Amino acid sequence: WYIVSSFCIAFGTFVLWTGVFYYLAKPSVRVYFERGVWIISGIAIVDYMFFGKDLGLLTSHLQLENELSYTIKDMGLNAVVVLFTALVLYCFCKKGGRAVAEILGIGVIAFSVMTGINIVEINRSVNSVDRTYAEKDKPGFTLSRTGKNVIVLMLDRGMGEYIPYIFQEKPELEEKFSGFTYYSNMLSLGVKTNFSTPSLFGGYEYTPIELNRRDRELLVDKHDEALKVMPVLFERNGYKVTVMDPPVAGYQWPSDLSIYDGYSGIKSYNTWGIFVDPCVAEQGVRSNKRNFFCYGIFKVAPICFQELIYDKGGYNQAELEINYLTGQRREGPYTATGMRGTFVDNYNVLAALPDITEPVEEECNTFLMMANEATHESTLLQEPDYVPQMRVDNTEYAEEYADRFTIDGRKLKMEGEQLSHYHVNMAAMLKLGEWFDYMRENGVYDNTRIIIVSDHGVNLYHRDDLVLEDGFDIEYNYALLMVKDFGSSELKTSEDFMTCADVPALAVEGVIEDPINPFTGKEIGYGDKGINPQYVIASDVYDIFVNNGNQFLPGNWYTVQDDMRKPENWKLVAEDTVLPEKN
């Protein structure tokens, strides 16, 4: 229906209304209409095919993950190409005669056939997603009051660096997070989810370098295997297992939950978009029926106009229709209008955790593995409660608490995207604190091991002393790790050197005897980080539909040992290569 709606708007705009003006015009003016159609069609094809190609991920609300911006150089090059294309097409139409109409006709037929093929493929993919949601009950999981519960929660792009500042601003979180140990020296082995997630869920056998060494297997198969290591291991040891939102399972989005088929003791759910008010969801459908057409115009326009058309994801929708589905528009350092839909969808899952958690008296052990992207979707929230609002104004609060980003002389730069990332990390911690209170009230906190971890950080350049000589920002790999063990009650900080690949060992320690990877037969442990440097891959080719062969595409490799926060402990050992050393 999005396609039908877009087609109707386009047909009305370009055929009906343009046709009306064409036939009302004098014959001498019609010539300009005809030449205009020919030239604009050519420019549209050139813009679509050769410019604005690397804009990052696009959400289902047609909002780009990254802020849209072009350099003067990009716009200048595009302008030159557009003018050259227009000149060539103008000269051709003056001499081409009937050939112009024939070429346009062939073009319409060719694009129509391509559209039909794409519609069939997309519809098949969407139908499989619909079946995945339709076949599942409402998401939920149990926690035993008498047995042992283990929870591994991945917060995508959670910033480990922020934790001291978050707890300084909200000291009430110390009680809510009692029993947790914050690991302040935590390293991610990849800068993006596709690189780092396998080691987080599978351990040291699934680090980027080890995955590339297994060069006879597809990355997607190795990725899915890693996502199954802990659920299958806990299931085989008698645990009730629930998996929620395993990151890009099957290299699909939403995740392909069929990777858990055949394991009767594992329940799996995709929760993203489930906890949405039906009225808001319907409003989103209405917005998309309009915005798909606008997105098409955006993609074929010269890039000097694209920011204006995109309108920060709002596509110039009337003020009356601004909602969390139209994106957030920053109006100043501390003010904004609208909300980022992808953040709200993930935030709603965290807010719903008490509702979908069922404490039971049953004598059983449980394991929950889940991921959430609230910390990934940078958004300006309303302080001091850090909640999404249609209109945000934090000017007064920012002035009153201007010193909140300084601890022991270490000050974080907080502007623009930096501040937005801090906001979503704070919001996630506040919601988790509420969940932990619910667990205490229902007698399932003390007997639960909770691991909060992120797959990577992001290069926000908060501190100059975290930037390497080559310009690489260590914050990209400054991941989050907080662990609460059974019966622990004191909030502590540890300086131990940890990596994402330690998570499986932390999860199984003391609860599964002789933990063996069910797919490789090797023991799950803490690796050799105390002896040997750890390899980190730095690459921006994170698109799973591009970087999906048997090995990750060439990137830069660093080794890191001991304190990951010290630039002198980082060494660039290889550039633009698949492996930093011989296999």
Side-chain angles (χ1 to χ4, degrees), residues 44-258:
I45 293 172
V46 169
D47 284 331
Y48 178 77
M49 294 186 67
F50 302 108
F51 294 94
K53 302 296 290 182
D54 298 317
L55 302 181
L57 297 177
L58 185 74
T59 73
S60 60
H61 306 308
L62 302 180
Q63 296 162 15
L64 295 167
E65 177 189 29
N66 303 317
E67 187 172 344
L68 178 67
S69 64
Y70 292 108
T71 65
I72 297 297
K73 180 180 178 181
D74 291 334
M75 289 190 285
L77 176 62
N78 178 248
V80 170
V81 172
V82 165
L83 291 173
F84 178 77
T85 301
L87 179 62
V88 170
L89 293 175
Y90 177 78
C91 294
F92 185 87
C93 73
K94 290 197 71 174
K95 298 182 178 180
R98 293 180 58 84
V100 169
E102 293 171 358
I103 292 172
L104 279 175
I106 293 170
V108 170
I109 294 171
F111 280 111
S112 297
V113 171
M114 291 169 58
T115 298
I117 294 172
N118 288 336
I119 288 173
V120 172
E121 290 298 319
I122 293 169
N123 197 52
R124 184 182 295 118
S125 175
V126 169
N127 285 340
S128 68
V129 172
D130 286 343
R131 285 195 299 272
T132 297
Y133 279 90
E135 292 169 0
K136 296 292 182 181
D137 300 324
K138 179 183 176 182
F141 55 91
T142 59
L143 294 179
S144 172
R145 290 191 175 100
T146 56
K148 290 186 175 181
N149 309 299
V150 178
I151 297 174
V152 175
L153 168 58
M154 186 192 101
L155 293 175
D156 197 332
R157 200 192 272 180
M159 298 288 286
E161 181 183 16
Y162 288 163
I163 296 301
Y165 299 88
I166 288 174
F167 278 69
Q168 173 180 260
E169 182 179 350
K170 298 289 184 182
E172 62 270 24
L173 285 175
E174 293 184 11
E175 183 177 348
K176 296 177 183 294
F177 280 76
S178 62
F180 274 90
T181 297
Y182 160 59
Y183 289 91
S184 59
N185 183 16
M186 169 64 171
L187 175 71
S188 163
L189 301 176
V191 297
K192 297 291 184 179
T193 299
N194 60 326
F195 305 118
S196 57
T197 294
S199 61
L200 188 155
F201 291 110
Y204 283 94
E205 293 183 73
Y206 301 90
T207 62
I209 190 171
E210 293 299 329
L211 293 181
N212 273 7
R213 284 171 176 160
R214 292 167 58 177
D215 58 0
R216 296 187 179 183
E217 304 167 69
L218 288 171
L219 285 171
V220 61
D221 294 335
K222 292 176 281 191
H223 180 94
D224 291 347
E225 182 179 293
L227 291 178
K228 293 187 289 186
V229 168
M230 285 193 288
V232 173
L233 181 59
F234 275 95
E235 184 216 23
R236 291 183 179 178
N237 282 270
Y239 281 68
K240 287 188 172 183
V241 177
T242 303
V243 178
M244 291 170 32
D245 300 299
V248 292
Y251 271 18
Q252 297 295 322
W253 187 256
S255 290
D256 180 7
L257 301 180
S258 68

Side-chain angles (χ1 to χ4, degrees), residues 378-501:
S378 61
T379 305
L380 203 66
L381 304 172
Q382 183 59 53
E383 298 166 330
D385 297 323
Y386 291 91
V387 293
Q389 278 189 188
M390 285 304 305
R391 286 173 176 78
V392 171
D393 187 350
N394 294 322
T395 306
E396 186 175 328
Y397 186 88
E399 292 175 356
E400 185 176 355
Y401 295 93
D403 61 345
R404 59 189 155 144
F405 301 123
T406 302
I407 295 180
D408 297 331
R410 296 192 308 273
K411 183 175 182 179
L412 301 183
K413 300 175 186 176
M414 280 292 176
E415 300 175 354
E417 281 296 296
Q418 297 168 329
L419 188 60
S420 297
H421 275 85
Y422 178 83
H423 277 211
V424 295
N425 276 263
M426 172 68 87
M429 291 298 138
L430 291 172
K431 281 304 168 187
L432 289 180
E434 293 177 10
W435 184 35
F436 299 154
D437 283 345
Y438 172 85
M439 292 168 64
R440 286 188 186 88
E441 294 167 4
N442 288 274
V444 293
Y445 187 76
D446 289 338
N447 63 320
T448 300
R449 172 181 290 165
I450 306 171
I451 302 171
I452 304 171
V453 61
S454 68
D455 52 345
H456 57 85
V458 62
N459 53 334
L460 292 170
Y461 296 92
H462 286 292
R463 291 166 48 188
D464 294 338
D465 61 331
L466 293 179
V467 180
L468 305 184
E469 291 183 0
D470 62 5
F472 183 81
D473 185 7
I474 292 174
E475 289 176 324
Y476 233 148
N477 298 86
Y478 199 158
L480 165 67
L481 179 62
M482 300 183 74
V483 181
K484 188 201 81 69
D485 212 344
F486 304 113
S488 59
S489 58
E490 184 182 354
L491 179 63
K492 299 182 293 186
T493 295
S494 172
E495 294 289 323
D496 292 346
F497 179 39
M498 304 292 285
T499 79
C500 287

